[in-house]
Amino acid sequence: GTPGRLVTTIYYLNPGWREGDGGCLRLFRPGPAGETAVEVAPRGDRLVLFASWIPHEVMATRCDRYALSGWLYGPPGASPLLAP
């Protein structure tokens, strides 16, 4: 990730989103049995915040998908409190 990023924010602007539209955010987390994934649907008026060091990806879409993304930064050299 980009140095100094602590928190990633995504606000979804898709009021008519349906499950078949795709474009989910997939967050990966380590566990005792290996890595697992959690998917977050890009439903309209949904705000998602997560630690920026968490590996993630956006799944393929089948229609237009709109979102506002932003990041909260710490001072130079700052590390997240829960870094892996």
Side-chain angles (χ1 to χ4, degrees):
T2 301
R5 284 185 185 176
L6 299 179
V7 178
T8 298
T9 64
I10 305 171
Y11 180 66
Y12 292 108
L13 306 165
N14 306 298
W17 183 87
R18 296 179 310 271
E19 191 164 334
D21 292 343
C24 289
L25 171 67
R26 182 177 285 172
L27 300 163
F28 298 95
R29 61 181 177 191
E35 192 171 74
T36 59
V38 175
E39 288 193 2
V40 179
R43 298 187 197 287
D45 201 32
R46 174 174 278 172
L47 177 64
V48 179
L49 297 106
F50 58 94
S52 296
W53 55 263
I54 295 175
H56 59 281
E57 66 180 327
V58 176
M59 305 309 292
T61 62
R62 293 176 230 6
C63 65
D64 291 336
R65 174 190 167 280
Y66 299 98
L68 296 173
S69 298
W71 299 270
L72 301 176
Y73 287 84
S79 300
L81 294 176
L82 301 175

